[in-house]
């Protein structure tokens, strides 16, 4: 049973280029979350998606960042015109999305994509 | 005040020692609490949930103090493999999907 998969694991971009990060959730999971981790900091929530729907993007920068989770295929986090400050580890997590006994199902994390902007 | 604050450490302990650390949170409405473990440059993995009555999983014991708004993690009989960064995590309500992460407490167990 494959876990959450992310690719690429490492991505190097020059300032102004586009970065596309992919996430395939665990089998049976229909909820995807993206987090960003800057060096020496905790993970910060970015966006929560279900199939074909963005539920909450309150943690996403207003410009240059977008996310989607199409009916078929992986979730994509897209960063346009990258800047050095975008360098970070981007983690995707997935969950079944159900609430059992009042507690939301645990989120399982992928290995992350480490983006380096030169 | 930050949403969640952790002592970054590092806590350097010998094998077999007991190590404990806390995490404070600012939102009194928070209901679900977790400890995640993150190894260097890897993804966070759930270590254990933290229940109101406190709970134990092998050598790990988690406690919740709602009055003082902190959770704690205690590791007994430390192993070399316990060396990692421990992340305090919570969500604000049981039906909220946003997890808030502390920056982590680093534990290094030496032989």
């Amino acid at each position: 049973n494959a876990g959450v998969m992310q690719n690429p694991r490492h991505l190097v971009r020059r300032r102004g280029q586009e970065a596309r990060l992919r996430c395939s959730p665990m089998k049976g999971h229909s909820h995807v979350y993206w987090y960003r981790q800057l060096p020496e900091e905790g993970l910060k929530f970015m966006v929560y998606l279900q199939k074909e729907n963005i539920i909450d993007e309150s943690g996403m920068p207003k410009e240059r960042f977008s996310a989607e989770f199409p009916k078929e295929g992986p979730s994509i986090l897209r960063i346009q015109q990258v800047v050095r400050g975008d360098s970070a580890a981007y983690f995707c997590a997935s969950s079944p999305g159900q609430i059992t006994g009042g507690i939301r199902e645990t989120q399982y994390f992928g290995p992350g994509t480490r983006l380096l902007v030169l | 005040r930050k949403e969640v604050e952790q002592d970054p450490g590092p806590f350097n302990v010998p094998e077999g020692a007991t190590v404990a650390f806390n995490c404070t949170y600012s939102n009194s409405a928070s209901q679900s609490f977790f400890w995640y473990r993150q190894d260097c440059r890897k993804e966070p993995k759930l270590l254990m949930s933290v229940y109101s009555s406190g709970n134990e999983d092998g050598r790990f014991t988690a406690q919740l103090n709602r009055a003082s708004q902190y959770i704690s993690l205690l590791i007994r009989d430390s192993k070399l493999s316990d060396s990692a960064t421990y992340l305090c995590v919570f969500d604000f309500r049981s039906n909220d999907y946003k997890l808030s992460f502390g920056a982590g407490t680093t534990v290094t167990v030496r032989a």
Side-chain angles (χ1 to χ4, degrees):
Chain A
N1 186 14
V4 179
M5 299 175 68
Q6 289 187 251
N7 68 82
R9 296 289 300 276
H10 299 273
L11 182 61
V12 180
R13 285 288 178 266
R14 296 191 180 278
R15 281 179 295 171
Q17 291 184 319
E18 179 179 286
R20 280 186 179 237
L21 288 60
R22 297 175 194 79
C23 169
S24 296
M26 284 181 71
K27 187 177 180 180
H29 287 190
S30 58
H31 295 234
V32 166
Y33 316 79
W34 285 94
Y35 295 84
R36 176 165 65 176
Q37 186 174 33
L38 296 171
E40 309 303 324
E41 293 189 16
L43 280 75
K44 300 296 183 188
F45 169 84
M46 297 181 75
V47 61
Y48 164 41
L49 309 105
Q50 298 178 21
K51 283 284 186 181
E52 299 184 279
N53 284 306
I54 297 175
I55 307 302
D56 184 342
E57 55 183 349
S58 60
M60 287 257 280
K62 297 295 183 216
E63 298 177 350
R64 303 190 296 108
F65 284 72
S66 62
E68 62 177 7
F69 188 16
K71 187 176 180 182
E72 302 291 338
S75 174
I76 306 289
L77 179 67
R78 182 182 178 205
I79 311 172
Q80 295 178 288
Q81 298 175 314
V82 296
V83 301
R84 287 207 174 123
D86 296 333
S87 296
Y90 292 83
F91 289 98
C92 167
S94 73
S95 75
Q98 298 157 346
I99 297 177
T100 303
I103 304 299
R104 184 167 289 276
E105 289 283 350
T106 299
Q107 295 180 21
Y108 296 88
F109 284 81
T113 293
R114 279 156 186 80
L115 172 65
L116 176 63
V117 180
L118 300 176
Chain B
R1 185 179 175 183
K2 288 185 179 178
E3 288 179 354
V4 55
E5 293 197 65
Q6 290 188 252
D7 181 345
F11 287 78
N12 295 306
V13 300
E15 271 189 290
T18 295
V19 59
F21 41 88
N22 296 339
C23 166
T24 59
Y25 61 95
S26 61
N27 191 329
S28 59
S30 300
Q31 292 193 8
S32 300
F33 304 89
F34 312 90
W35 283 104
Y36 275 70
R37 168 193 171 130
Q38 186 174 28
D39 293 289
C40 186
R41 302 184 67 76
K42 293 191 174 180
E43 73 272 26
K45 293 184 178 178
L46 179 66
L47 180 66
M48 57 197 302
S49 300
V50 185
Y51 302 121
S52 297
S53 55
N55 48 298
E56 203 173 287
D57 184 358
R59 298 179 293 107
F60 297 84
T61 300
Q63 297 280 354
L64 166 63
N65 185 317
R66 285 195 182 275
S68 300
Q69 293 186 207
Y70 72 86
I71 64 172
S72 63
L73 182 66
L74 181 146
I75 308 173
R76 286 187 304 278
D77 188 24
S78 300
K79 311 291 184 192
L80 294 176
S81 58
D82 294 334
S83 296
T85 297
Y86 292 85
L87 309 177
C88 163
V89 183
F90 64 95
D91 66 15
F92 286 99
R93 295 176 298 277
S94 60
N95 61 348
D96 194 351
Y97 39 79
K98 295 179 190 176
L99 296 182
S100 292
F101 285 78
T105 296
T106 298
V107 173
T108 302
V109 182
R110 61 182 188 274

